[in-house]
């Protein structure tokens, strides 16, 4: 832990080689006087991880794929670095709990990030959460862990980061707030009537944001917004009826809060994740991010429209899962991860993604899980079911 107000904060990045991880490192590199990188993790790209270690010289590097641990250790030694190498699920948890890490950026994609994210929360870290699937699957455990460990949780997801900023204007949010309004760009297919024949390349070509492949597909189906509704429910404690979604193709307003007096506060900026990352890293202070400034005169008219839940059923499925409870949310997320993966491998047509999720969701049941093991069990069961739906159906493409 830091040993004084002037000590630099130690930062661990879970998922350092990804889109959020890279943007985080860019922000950190601007503030060497405030932060030092103490731990970095990646799934399997040893070379990229070693490259980051050369640049940031962390104490610890963790590779999720345990078979690569020896390769990582050897590469670090050859590079003459003192960075220790660990691997596998235990290695990720070790990075998340590292004594010198004051702050942990949770930027692994999918439920794969759950255990390490939860471990950071239990260790009382200041948790900067990008890994929305972790809170979708384990909202209750995660919030409780932060509370019990006297840690803190700051949202990196741009919509929740915007809401966090807007809520700062209310002393008693629960009485002051009427509803949260999450904005959605609408993704690459907002104006495309026929979703047959969509390719992974088309789905990943997001008009406004440059992101990892899984979240790009989620943005194209609107499941990303669905996951974000569930995320907002856990983060801010509002009922599903108080969380609305509005399509805003310009992505200038990142979300809004409507108060009981009729005021609506919006947070604006260019669509660049370095802004919410810098907000979360610096909070409660403001630090520079490197994002381009917003030029309202160039932004053009700002438009808003209702989401088309008929063409994009994933949003409706997510609201249904939220109403049904935690087990349904786990099933929704797991089925989505399996379906998106299958689409990216060109096995499942894009337009069939919602049908796979719906089939798994309908069959999901059970009491709310009360441990990570129970969550991972439900996650595993839903994945197996989603895979069996995929193998049983012959999809017309
Ligand atoms: P990405 O695919 O670019 O990066 C994912 C990172 O996680 C990589 O470092 C990868 O090595 C690691 N990883 C993947 N699978 C792993 C596994 N099984 N075990 C250990 N590590 C693993 O993804 P991203 O776009 O950076 O998104 C990361 C998270 O942040 C996601 O949950 C996403 O929804 C969320 N998020 C991303 C953005 C964005 O702009 N990219 C915005 C908001 C929220
Ligand atoms: Mg978002």
């Amino acid at each position: 832990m830091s040993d004084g107000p002037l000590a630099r904060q130690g930062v661990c990045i879970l998922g350092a080689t990804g889109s959020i991880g890279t943007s985080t490192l860019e922000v950190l590199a601007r503030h060497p006087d405030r932060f030092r990188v103490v731990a970095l993790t990646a799934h399997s790209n040893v070379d990229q991880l070693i490259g980051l270690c050369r640049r940031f010289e962390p104490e610890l590097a963790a590779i999720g794929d345990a078979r690569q641990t020896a390769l990582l250790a050897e590469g670090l030694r050859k590079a003459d670095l003192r960075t220790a190498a660990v691997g596998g699920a235990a290695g990720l948890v070790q990075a998340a709990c590292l004594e010198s890490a004051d702050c942990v950026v949770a930027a692994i994609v999918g439920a794969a990030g759950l255990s390490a994210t939860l471990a950071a929360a239990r260790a009382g870290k200041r948790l900067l959460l990008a890994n929305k699937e972790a809170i979708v699957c384990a909202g209750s455990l995660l919030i409780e862990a932060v509370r019990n460990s006297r840690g803190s949780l700051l949202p990196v997801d741009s919509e929740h980061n915007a809401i966090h900023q807007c809520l700062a204007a209310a002393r008693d949010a629960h009485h002051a707030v009427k509803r949260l309004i999450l904005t959605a760009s609408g993704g690459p297919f907002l104006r495309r009537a026929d979703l047959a024949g969509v390719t992974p390349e088309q789905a990943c070509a997001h008009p406004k944001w440059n992101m990892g492949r899984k979240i790009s597909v989620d943005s194209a189906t609107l499941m990303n917004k669905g996951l974000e509704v569930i995320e907002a429910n856990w983060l801010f404690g509002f009922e599903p009826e108080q969380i609305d979604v509005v399509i805003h193709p310009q992505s200038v307003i990142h979300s809004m809060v409507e108060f009981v007096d009729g005021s609506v506060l919006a947070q604006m900026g260019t669509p660049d994740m370095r802004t919410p990352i810098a907000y979360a890293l610096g909070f409660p202070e403001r630090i520079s991010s490197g994002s381009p400034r917003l030029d309202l005169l160039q932004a053009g008219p700002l438009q808003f429209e209702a989401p088309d839940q008929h063409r994009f059923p994933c949003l409706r499925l997510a609201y249904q899962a939220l109403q049904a409870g935690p087990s349904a949310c786990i099933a929704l997320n797991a089925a989505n991860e399996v379906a998106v993966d299958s689409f990216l491998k060109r096995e499942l047509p894009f337009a069939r993604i919602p049908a796979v999720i719906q089939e798994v969701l309908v069959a999901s049941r059970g009491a709310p899980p009360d441990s990570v093991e129970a969550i991972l069990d439900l996650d595993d069961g839903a994945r197996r079911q989603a895979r069996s739906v995929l193998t049983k159906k012959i999809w017309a493409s």
Side-chain angles (χ1 to χ4, degrees):
M1 283 287 179
S2 306
D3 49 10
L6 295 176
R8 294 186 300 163
Q9 273 191 57
V11 181
C12 161
I13 305 177
L14 304 171
T17 51
S19 165
I20 292 288
T22 305
S23 296
T24 304
L25 287 167
E26 282 176 27
V27 178
L28 293 174
R30 300 174 70 87
H31 303 282
D33 51 324
R34 277 180 177 263
F35 303 105
R36 67 196 172 99
V37 174
V38 296
L40 295 173
T41 86
H43 179 38
S44 57
N45 193 333
V46 170
D47 289 343
Q48 203 184 342
L49 185 56
I50 292 172
L52 294 178
C53 290
R54 278 182 198 273
R55 182 157 172 226
F56 293 97
E57 300 186 13
E59 284 169 39
L60 188 75
I63 192 88
D65 180 354
R67 293 165 302 183
Q68 314 246 36
T69 316
L71 203 62
L72 175 64
E74 192 192 320
L76 292 169
R77 212 172 29 246
K78 278 195 185 143
D80 222 10
L81 292 167
R82 275 181 300 176
T83 306
V86 292
L92 299 178
V93 168
Q94 203 178 324
C97 299
L98 194 68
E99 177 81 19
S100 56
D102 303 288
C103 166
V104 173
V105 181
I108 292 175
V109 59
L114 171 58
S115 298
T117 301
L118 194 58
R122 287 182 170 155
K125 304 296 186 190
R126 176 181 165 106
L127 183 62
L128 273 51
L129 184 75
N131 182 198
K132 65 191 79 182
E133 297 89 349
I135 195 164
V136 164
C137 294
S140 165
L141 285 187
L142 197 60
I143 300 294
E144 195 182 281
V146 172
R147 196 181 304 129
N148 291 345
S149 69
R150 297 176 187 275
S152 58
L153 176 54
L154 283 156
V156 167
D157 211 349
S158 58
E159 296 75 5
H160 307 77
N161 191 274
I163 288 168
H164 191 274
Q165 299 194 37
C166 297
L167 286 178
R171 197 165 285 202
D172 177 0
H174 275 270
H175 290 105
V177 171
K178 190 147 182 73
R179 63 177 176 139
L180 308 181
I181 306 162
L182 301 180
T183 53
S185 69
F189 308 133
L190 180 61
R191 307 278 175 241
R192 177 168 165 159
D194 184 5
L195 295 174
V198 162
T199 65
E201 291 72 25
Q202 290 168 339
C204 290
H206 196 277
K208 292 289 173 191
W209 299 92
N210 186 4
M211 310 180 286
R213 280 161 72 77
K214 190 262 178 183
I215 184 177
S216 295
V217 177
D218 286 350
S219 300
T221 59
L222 286 198
M223 179 54 94
N224 183 49
K225 215 46 55 181
L227 297 175
E228 290 181 356
V229 168
I230 301 171
E231 181 182 9
N233 170 265
W234 284 114
L235 282 175
F236 305 115
F238 294 102
E239 297 302 316
E241 302 76 33
Q242 288 177 286
I243 308 171
D244 279 348
V245 171
V246 64
I247 302 289
H248 165 47
Q250 292 76 23
S251 297
V252 168
I253 294 179
H254 300 308
S255 277
M256 296 174 261
V257 174
E258 181 183 329
F259 293 92
V260 289
D261 59 8
S263 295
V264 178
L265 292 193
Q267 185 264 348
M268 300 195 278
T270 48
D272 188 320
M273 287 308 292
R274 287 175 296 180
T275 296
I277 290 167
Y279 172 84
L281 281 170
F283 186 81
E285 288 169 33
R286 295 272 182 173
I287 60 173
S288 72
S289 67
S291 300
R293 292 178 59 199
L294 173 63
D295 181 348
L296 281 173
L297 300 180
Q298 292 297 315
L302 302 186
Q303 297 165 310
F304 305 94
E305 57 192 83
D308 182 343
Q309 302 208 14
H310 180 68
R311 243 164 25 94
F312 299 104
C314 284
L315 182 58
R316 178 171 41 79
L317 293 175
Y319 271 106
Q320 274 172 20
L322 181 56
Q323 295 285 3
S327 307
C329 292
I330 295 165
L332 174 96
N333 180 69
N336 181 55
E337 286 195 33
V338 171
V340 169
D341 188 53
S342 175
F343 163 66
L344 286 171
K345 290 180 176 147
R346 298 175 204 279
E347 293 160 2
L348 178 71
F350 179 85
R352 295 293 183 177
I353 293 174
V356 175
I357 300 165
Q358 179 157 20
E359 204 160 323
V360 176
L361 197 56
V362 165
S364 78
R365 55 180 56 85
D370 57 2
S371 66
V372 197
E373 294 71 29
I375 292 171
L376 295 178
D377 258 11
L378 285 172
D379 172 78
D380 190 51
R383 276 169 206 267
R384 271 188 277 122
Q385 211 193 335
R387 282 191 211 103
S388 88
V389 174
L390 287 176
T391 49
K392 267 188 250 145
K393 300 256 156 93
I394 313 281
W395 305 107
S397 46

